[in-house]
Amino acid sequence: MVLDEGGELRIPTPETALRQLVERRDPEASPAAPAVAVLTQLFEPRPQAELDALAQSLVRLAADTGYPFGVRFDARSALIRAVVPEEGVPYEPAFDLLVGLYERHMVGLAGDETNDPIAAIYTRSQAADFDESMPSGPRASSDLYAIYLADPEGRGLDYLLAAMEAAGPPASREAGKASTWCVVNDIIYGEAKFDGASTDAALRTLPVDSATYHDLCGLMGSIPRGYPPRRPGR
């Protein structure tokens, strides 16, 4: 629900949902929740064209660095939460829109030197003539994380595993600091730990041997050898 001009709570519309996300008129309410409610038709059905227009507005907000980080974060969060909502009707196109946010920044980055777009971003960022308007490694990693969160047991996981396989493992731990391979493993391991899994249980969620992860990435702290290797049983 959103506050109207008179301070009364109303069912959100696409317009008022965007206003709450951008302007935060109701500081007590979740900025993203009204947009999620509209996209999932929680309160009332809406024409597909209205839903699609709202979703495209969220994509633009998420990608526009002219907005504060919080606005961009909440716009993307609304899309994530609309894919597999706790209530309402899933807004299926949101997953492909999240993929598009990632891919529009990755197109053309991987080339002859590497099949890994995140590694390519890092390499270019070291150049003297680096253009600050180019996509950043953290932004690319964040976009991959959003894809995973949208459907961590289905399409999201499948997409990350495909991205990891396409990029291939880094040549060394130093190269692993900026590699899609390590980013994917960090996301999967980190989310398991965030959900309360023990180190052993979290390492079992890895799509690669845990010793290999430790040797090539080493970004999650010191992980002792000897934890059981695990590959996706899918």
Side-chain angles (χ1 to χ4, degrees):
M1 304 288 280
V2 294
L3 291 174
D4 65 13
E5 299 294 341
E8 298 292 329
L9 287 172
R10 304 290 185 189
I11 291 174
T13 65
E15 293 76 17
T16 59
L18 284 173
R19 187 165 62 227
Q20 170 61 17
L21 195 148
V22 174
E23 301 178 8
R24 268 78 163 160
R25 289 192 176 185
D26 183 358
E28 302 299 321
S30 163
V36 176
V38 174
L39 286 178
T40 61
Q41 305 179 78
L42 181 60
F43 295 111
E44 58 186 2
R46 288 192 171 274
Q48 189 66 38
E50 285 191 13
L51 302 179
D52 294 344
L54 172 58
Q56 289 295 337
S57 294
L58 293 173
V59 168
R60 286 191 291 271
L61 286 175
D64 191 341
T65 56
Y67 283 95
F69 171 79
V71 171
R72 291 180 279 129
F73 177 87
D74 290 328
R76 189 168 51 189
S77 294
L79 291 170
I80 294 170
R81 292 165 57 187
V83 177
V84 187
E86 296 180 1
E87 300 177 278
V89 180
Y91 178 71
E92 294 290 348
F95 183 84
D96 289 335
L97 293 176
L98 289 166
V99 169
L101 273 172
Y102 171 71
E103 292 186 347
R104 75 173 58 178
H105 296 105
M106 298 298 104
V107 170
L109 288 180
D112 295 336
E113 296 182 2
T114 177
N115 289 323
D116 186 340
I118 291 181
I121 289 174
Y122 179 80
T123 299
R124 294 186 184 192
S125 71
Q126 308 307 302
D129 60 348
F130 176 64
D131 183 354
E132 292 293 342
S133 67
M134 291 178 63
S136 67
R139 169 63 189 275
S141 301
S142 182
D143 285 346
L144 269 179
Y145 189 29
I147 293 169
Y148 177 73
L149 289 178
D151 193 359
E153 296 182 0
R155 292 173 294 172
L157 176 60
D158 290 343
Y159 188 91
L160 262 64
L161 294 178
M164 183 186 80
E165 182 177 354
S172 64
R173 179 177 288 200
E174 181 64 26
K177 293 179 180 179
S179 72
T180 299
W181 197 92
C182 285
V183 165
V184 168
N185 281 282
D186 285 348
I187 288 172
I188 295 171
Y189 174 82
E191 189 62 17
K193 290 291 286 183
F194 179 79
D195 288 341
S198 66
T199 298
D200 181 77
L203 287 173
R204 285 177 179 272
T205 69
L206 287 173
V208 300
D209 182 287
S210 54
T212 303
Y213 172 62
H214 176 266
D215 291 343
L216 292 182
C217 302
L219 301 179
M220 302 301 296
S222 178
I223 300 173
R225 290 182 176 275
Y227 282 104
R230 191 268 192 189
R231 298 193 68 83
R234 297 174 57 78

